[in-house]
Amino acid sequence: MILATHAVAGAAVANLLPGHPVLGFVAGFVSHFFLDAIPHWHYALLSSRHDHNDPMNSDIILNKDFPLDLFKMGCDAILGIGLAVLFFHVSTPYFLSATLLGAVGGIFPDALQFVYFKWRHEPLVSLQRFHHWIHAKESLDQYPVFGPFAQVVFGLLCVLIVR
Ligand SMILES: [Zn+2]
């Protein structure tokens, strides 16, 4: 799913354990894989190279398209963290809040995926294998309107259930 959805869902599960920011981070991290297991839409990343024969060989190439992709992913992540803070009204100091750590935890597996692309060592290899294994094999990429809409609805559901 997009990082914004992961951040909001991560913050939502972390808010089930409001006084425990570290557990909130772990809960957000774990939630990432449950979300990825649901068929979903992705935005295009021009620097991404998906190897259909061996997904463990997939990569993000640091070419001329990468800065724009990084900008897209950065906006996506910041939007998600901003929405998480907005929806869950952080009252504790930011760096201690379950909301913030849950949101960051929700995004973190995709950041680790990027680290794996550039540094293929354990435990990142096993994590990448798991990430790919649990990731839905069918996607909603062919639905450019319904796909993003479904993620907005999903994020709102997470907020409504927890708040
Ligand atoms: Zn993922």
Side-chain angles (χ1 to χ4, degrees):
M1 293 213 183
I2 67 167
L3 299 177
T5 311
H6 279 301
V8 170
V13 290
N15 270 274
L16 297 172
L17 321 147
H20 305 280
V22 175
L23 274 182
F25 177 86
V26 174
F29 189 90
V30 171
S31 78
H32 183 107
F33 300 102
F34 282 93
L35 263 64
D36 269 358
I38 304 168
H40 55 271
W41 170 85
H42 311 85
Y43 48 81
L45 290 174
L46 295 177
S47 58
S48 169
R49 297 288 176 273
H50 189 71
D51 185 332
H52 293 278
N53 296 322
D54 182 2
M56 292 297 287
N57 269 335
S58 295
D59 203 351
I60 282 189
I61 312 296
L62 304 182
N63 58 11
K64 62 172 175 44
D65 295 318
F66 181 69
L68 181 63
D69 286 346
L70 188 65
F71 178 73
K72 272 191 212 172
M73 292 184 281
C75 290
D76 184 9
I78 290 166
L79 174 73
I81 292 169
L83 286 174
V85 171
L86 193 75
F87 287 140
F88 296 104
H89 302 293
V90 181
S91 51
T92 43
Y94 273 22
F95 64 95
L96 287 177
S97 81
T99 294
L100 200 68
L101 282 170
V104 172
I107 290 172
F108 205 55
D110 280 345
L112 290 179
Q113 195 159 214
F114 178 75
V115 177
Y116 163 79
F117 291 147
K118 298 302 149 204
W119 192 74
R120 295 172 190 248
H121 297 275
E122 288 295 352
L124 296 173
V125 175
S126 297
L127 185 70
Q128 180 65 14
R129 196 167 282 128
F130 175 72
H131 203 152
H132 176 260
W133 173 78
I134 201 153
H135 195 282
K137 299 299 172 274
E138 59 286 9
S139 82
L140 300 184
D141 292 354
Q142 68 274 37
Y143 303 109
V145 177
F146 175 72
F149 177 73
Q151 292 204 34
V152 172
V153 171
F154 184 83
L156 285 175
L157 271 180
C158 291
V159 174
L160 288 176
I161 289 167
V162 172
R163 279 196 67 189

